[in-house]
Amino acid sequence: MILYHGSNVEVRRPRLLKNQRELDFGRGFYTTSDLEQASRWAKRTARRLRADAGFVSVYEIDDAKMRALHTLRFEKPDAAWLRFVVDNRKGVVQGAEWDLICGPVANDQTIPVINLFLDGMYDEEETIKRLLPQNLKDQYTFKKEGAIGLL
């Protein structure tokens, strides 16, 4: 499988960062199978860090080795995915026991919906209903150095 990572720098040797923003699946090395998504991440990161350019790093991982990882997989933005993402974005660390977490990415269009959920304007059912029609891309978050080493 080919995976991409968008950043403000080329990442030749992926690793876990000690200080990391609160993201969908918590601390980890984030990749996607979608080149367009990685390009957007690269541009956004470069803008946020006031860098001259963004970079998309490309990795290959053996499918059999990837299947052997202790993986948590969210197939779609359902209630379990929503609770997991919201907890991680609130700083309630989840998922440390997994090697890899896969699922939809909360993008610029989903964040307002999730924020309305956090503010109590939407319940879980309404939030999921509003997220399902969105064409959410995937993310593969490598949570442990041994898993990252397979890239």
Side-chain angles (χ1 to χ4, degrees):
M1 171 179 243
I2 301 295
L3 295 172
Y4 306 96
H5 174 80
S7 183
N8 63 311
V9 296
E10 182 181 8
V11 180
R12 291 180 188 208
R13 294 182 189 266
R15 60 186 170 83
L16 292 175
L17 300 177
K18 286 185 174 51
N19 298 321
Q20 195 170 19
R21 296 180 308 124
E22 288 146 352
L23 300 171
D24 293 355
F25 296 159
R27 184 173 174 251
F29 186 74
Y30 282 73
T31 62
T32 180
S33 66
D34 187 85
L35 179 57
E36 257 184 64
Q37 176 72 27
S39 296
R40 284 193 297 274
W41 286 345
K43 289 174 189 168
R44 184 179 309 126
T45 302
R47 252 193 331 270
R48 185 171 46 84
L49 297 175
R50 295 187 172 95
D52 292 334
F55 293 87
V56 174
S57 300
V58 182
Y59 308 98
E60 187 171 2
I61 184 167
D62 180 87
D63 290 340
K65 289 180 181 178
M66 190 167 165
R67 282 191 301 273
L69 293 173
H70 187 216
T71 301
L72 174 60
R73 185 175 304 277
F74 295 99
E75 298 297 334
K76 62 184 179 183
D78 58 13
W81 173 86
L82 177 63
R83 285 190 294 272
F84 194 86
V85 168
V86 165
D87 281 351
N88 278 301
R89 286 186 170 261
K90 287 175 20 183
V92 178
V93 178
Q94 294 218 29
E97 69 274 19
W98 302 99
D99 296 322
L100 176 65
I101 302 176
C102 313
V105 60
N107 60 27
D108 293 341
Q109 287 76 43
T110 60
I111 296 304
V113 175
I114 290 174
N115 285 339
L116 288 169
F117 170 75
L118 288 170
D119 291 342
M121 301 298 290
Y122 294 157
D123 62 12
E124 272 185 13
E125 184 179 337
E126 181 65 22
T127 303
I128 302 299
K129 186 170 78 175
R130 291 177 179 269
L131 292 175
L132 283 176
Q134 297 186 26
N135 184 20
L136 301 183
K137 303 300 181 183
D138 63 24
Q139 59 188 335
Y140 293 80
T141 306
F142 291 80
K143 305 288 286 177
K144 297 182 181 174
E145 292 292 347
I148 292 171
L150 297 177
L151 293 172

